[in-house]
């Protein structure tokens, strides 16, 4: 299989797909739609949105929705991730639960782009977002 290179163009494409995914958000309580798009090691892209529940602990974030869709379709390695929060005034990073799940399926150098518009984006790596991940020893 050909190695996939994550270019800035690919990150921009992922962000556009995350923005589109946010339109499907079910967020009647927070009124805060979020979309995510994940590029997997086999070249597929999976999207997700946040899905709220009035029992707020049962809510699922966009990032985990996309990740769980990918895993349920056989993709277990992520190469890049984009998160869109179109109703925020600034880039909003993933929550701690999402960071933990993302590091389960991605290496420290996986790029993560997040923001509220094309003009207001932040780029980091999984390692920068979750710098002291100590659970990788469990997989060995």
């Amino acid at each position: 299989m050909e190695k996939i290179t994550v270019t800035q163009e690919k990150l921009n494409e992922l962000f556009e797909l995350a923005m589109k995914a946010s339109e499907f958000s079910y967020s009647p309580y927070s009124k805060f739609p979020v979309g995510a798009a994940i590029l997997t090691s086999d070249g597929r892209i999976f999207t997700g949105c946040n899905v709220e529940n009035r029992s707020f602990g049962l809510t699922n974030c966009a990032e985990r929705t996309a990740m769980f869709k990918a895993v349920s379709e056989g993709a277990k390695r992520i190469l890049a991730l984009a998160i869109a929060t179109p109703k925020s005034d600034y880039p909003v990073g993933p929550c701690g639960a999402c960071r933990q799940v993302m590091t389960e399926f991605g290496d420290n150098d996986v790029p993560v782009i997040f923001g509220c518009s094309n003009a207001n984006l932040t780029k980091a790596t999984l390692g920068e977002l979750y710098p002291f991940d100590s659970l990788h020893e469990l997989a060995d």
Side-chain angles (χ1 to χ4, degrees):
M1 181 192 307
E2 181 181 327
K3 182 171 168 56
I4 298 167
T5 303
V6 180
T7 62
Q8 187 59 49
E9 182 178 81
K10 182 56 79 174
L11 289 173
N12 293 343
E13 175 190 354
L14 288 174
F15 185 72
E16 289 303 318
L17 291 169
M19 287 291 276
K20 181 71 177 164
S22 74
E23 296 173 12
F24 298 105
S25 168
Y26 180 74
S27 49
Y29 307 105
S30 70
K31 311 283 192 264
F32 192 76
V34 181
I38 293 173
L39 173 66
T40 62
S41 61
D42 61 7
R44 291 184 287 168
I45 295 173
F46 294 88
T47 61
C49 63
N50 55 324
V51 180
E52 294 181 352
N53 188 277
R54 54 186 181 272
S55 173
F56 216 68
L58 300 178
T59 292
N60 202 53
C61 297
E63 302 91 307
R64 285 182 284 143
T65 298
M67 192 71 249
F68 296 160
K69 283 173 64 177
V71 171
S72 74
E73 295 295 325
K76 294 188 177 59
R77 298 305 308 157
I78 61 173
L79 296 182
L81 172 72
I83 305 161
T85 54
K87 289 194 176 178
S88 65
D89 295 329
Y90 55 88
V92 176
C95 75
C98 288
R99 292 174 195 216
Q100 179 69 56
V101 170
M102 292 184 313
T103 64
E104 180 76 18
F105 300 102
D107 296 328
N108 282 340
D109 63 347
V110 166
V112 180
I113 190 169
F114 53 96
C116 50
S117 69
N118 286 318
N120 201 352
L121 291 169
T122 296
K123 184 178 175 184
T125 65
L126 281 182
E128 291 168 333
L129 292 174
Y130 200 64
F132 300 105
D133 181 6
S134 62
L135 296 178
H136 283 282
E137 304 85 51
L138 296 176
D140 294 335

